[in-house]
Amino acid sequence: MKNLSFIILVFASVMAVNSQNTLTEAETFATTAQAVGNITFTDTGDLVYSHHPFFSPENRVMIMDVKTKESKAFPNKAWNTPRTTDDNYLSNVLGIRNDENGIVWMLDMAQRDNVTPKIMGWNTKTNQLERIYYLPKSSMPKYAQPNDMVVDTKNGYFIIADEGIGNGGDGSKAAFIIVDMKTGKTRRILEGTRTTKPENTPTIIKGKHLAVNGKDLLVGNDGITANKDFEYIYYGPLNGTKIYRIKTLDLVNEGFTEAELDGKIETYSEKPNNGGMSMDTAGNIYLTALETNSVAVVLAKDRSVKTMTFDENMVWPDGVSYNHADGYMYVSAAQVNKGAVFNDGKDQSTKPFYIFRFKPLVEGVSFR
């Protein structure tokens, strides 16, 4: 009887550890042969996604037919093929967003080839190039690593979160890059300030630190999103305990000094170490919780943090985006922590790579 009680107690403990108090279940939508970074959508709901540049993929961006689950290079093979005659091709893409005009905007960090960093827009309605915005060295110093962005068509700006870990950078000079859609003018702001640089909260997954040569990798300004009317920008360093917000028109206002701008930033809520962010129309914030194979949600009603969904195969959940065509949030699992640089030169990632989806609490924000 004693042994039976002990077995029951152990079983209950194991179940308690393995169970997840989630608000909804994650559904495996598709699997891929290469790691998926961020996801966005066409008007018809097909998935356009970046292959995570960490693994040096052949095709930088792909499009997946939502019905057949078949994928091909996006916008075509030529744009995914390096060449020496010009630099009008995609080199190193992670951040990717759609807008209400059917344009998919791709943020090319360009660290992989000798090309100019840029934002490239492809019009999925006309199937042709919309525009390229080049990012000059004044906004892209050596340590820059532009990770994700908000495409604010209401006010006319691209607002880019720069992690500050490019070419050995330590995150301490993370920043925002602001691009004026009309003029193409770019500015680098809030570099290395209290809300863009990382905190000393190392990424720890199953007891293992995310480290390079024994030193914790601390990542700055990373996840970024906007509410439905682009009134506020929400953001935070990957390694950090807080989500911050600032009025969009304040952030893009060239009349403020850095100190004045910093004074307009509000600490919005707590958060785990996270990657991508997305919002719904009620103001709930969804963010990928890297250390726990899950997506967290910050509830608008009280700014509390809950676990939205979980899956054991959601290893390094990266981008999270809402598909207006079917009402689901989609999230990738990139396995970045299993890459060679974090594992003594051995790539420990395993195929397949997963794309999950789940129902948000209310309708998501489609375009930002």
Side-chain angles (χ1 to χ4, degrees):
M1 199 63 156
K2 255 185 176 182
N3 287 342
L4 179 59
S5 298
F6 176 75
I7 290 170
I8 291 172
L9 180 62
V10 169
F11 178 77
S13 299
V14 170
M15 290 301 290
V17 169
N18 290 336
S19 66
Q20 295 288 324
N21 184 22
T22 60
L23 300 180
T24 191
E25 291 186 6
E27 168 192 338
T28 299
F29 172 75
T31 58
T32 62
Q34 290 184 291
V36 176
N38 288 348
I39 301 170
T40 194
F41 309 95
T42 66
D43 283 357
T44 58
D46 288 337
L47 278 67
V48 182
Y49 59 90
S50 55
H51 273 148
H52 203 292
F54 189 82
F55 295 97
S56 300
E58 177 184 351
N59 290 317
R60 282 65 166 170
V61 183
M62 304 288 287
I63 185 168
M64 178 185 289
D65 186 301
V66 73
K67 295 177 181 177
T68 66
K69 310 291 177 67
E70 294 181 356
S71 296
K72 61 182 180 180
F74 179 86
N76 50 50
K77 187 63 179 177
W79 273 96
N80 284 271
T81 304
R83 51 187 173 270
T84 57
T85 53
D86 61 78
D87 67 359
N88 285 338
Y89 61 87
L90 299 171
S91 169
N92 234 30
V93 177
L94 183 55
I96 183 168
R97 299 283 193 179
N98 57 332
D99 70 20
E100 71 276 16
N101 301 310
I103 302 166
V104 170
W105 297 99
M106 291 158 276
L107 178 56
D108 189 352
M109 297 183 285
Q111 295 170 332
R112 186 169 161 189
D113 305 291
N114 187 28
V115 298
T116 307
K118 58 186 174 292
I119 302 169
M120 190 274 266
W122 188 264
N123 192 319
T124 61
K125 292 182 177 180
T126 62
N127 194 33
Q128 62 185 13
L129 177 67
E130 182 71 18
R131 183 169 175 178
I132 296 176
Y133 294 87
Y134 291 101
L135 305 178
K137 289 183 179 179
S138 58
S139 296
M140 285 284 297
K142 182 180 179 181
Y143 47 80
Q145 184 158 297
N147 168 72
D148 201 356
M149 62 182 169
V150 163
V151 179
D152 178 1
T153 52
K154 178 183 176 182
N155 300 301
Y157 294 92
F158 296 99
I159 300 170
I160 302 170
D162 187 327
E163 300 171 320
I165 58 168
N167 297 302
D170 62 4
S172 64
K173 294 183 179 180
F176 281 103
I177 301 171
I178 310 296
V179 182
D180 188 312
M181 289 181 177
K182 290 182 180 178
T183 66
K185 179 181 179 180
T186 71
R187 296 184 298 124
R188 186 176 183 85
I189 62 172
L190 293 173
E191 180 180 281
T193 52
R194 63 184 180 89
T195 67
T196 57
K197 67 182 181 181
E199 298 177 37
N200 188 22
T201 56
T203 303
I204 304 172
I205 300 174
K206 293 188 175 180
K208 183 177 180 179
H209 283 234
L210 189 77
V212 179
N213 298 323
K215 184 179 179 180
D216 287 322
L217 179 65
L218 298 176
V219 181
N221 199 10
D222 187 283
I224 184 171
T225 192
N227 59 351
K228 61 181 180 179
D229 57 3
F230 294 106
E231 181 185 5
Y232 281 97
I233 297 296
Y234 296 79
Y235 69 98
L238 184 152
N239 293 101
T241 58
K242 302 287 190 299
I243 291 176
Y244 302 98
R245 76 172 182 177
I246 183 171
K247 287 186 175 180
T248 306
L249 291 180
D250 286 340
L251 185 61
V252 301
N253 190 331
E254 296 186 51
F256 293 129
T257 65
E258 293 268 296
E260 289 170 338
L261 200 54
D262 184 81
K264 294 182 178 296
I265 297 169
E266 173 189 352
T267 300
Y268 182 76
S269 72
E270 300 293 318
K271 75 169 185 68
N273 287 338
N274 76 287
M277 282 188 193
S278 192
M279 293 192 79
D280 65 28
T281 54
N284 301 302
I285 303 173
Y286 303 82
L287 58 159
T288 53
L290 306 174
E291 297 164 306
T292 54
N293 299 47
S294 64
V295 177
V297 60
V298 179
L299 299 177
K301 64 180 181 180
D302 59 7
R303 303 188 186 184
S304 63
V305 184
K306 307 293 183 186
T307 300
M308 184 68 198
T309 195
F310 162 89
D311 193 282
E312 194 64 47
N313 289 319
M314 200 180 289
V315 180
W316 195 280
D318 204 322
V320 56
S321 296
Y322 179 72
N323 190 344
H324 58 282
D326 63 17
Y328 280 91
M329 286 274 186
Y330 285 71
V331 59
S332 58
Q335 299 187 44
V336 168
N337 57 302
K338 294 189 174 185
V341 70
F342 303 121
N343 295 283
D344 299 320
K346 297 178 181 178
D347 183 359
Q348 296 184 359
S349 64
T350 55
K351 296 179 181 180
F353 294 87
Y354 290 85
I355 298 173
F356 298 94
R357 69 179 185 178
F358 62 92
K359 283 286 188 179
L361 299 175
V362 299
E363 181 184 358
V365 176
S366 299
F367 311 111
R368 73 260 173 270

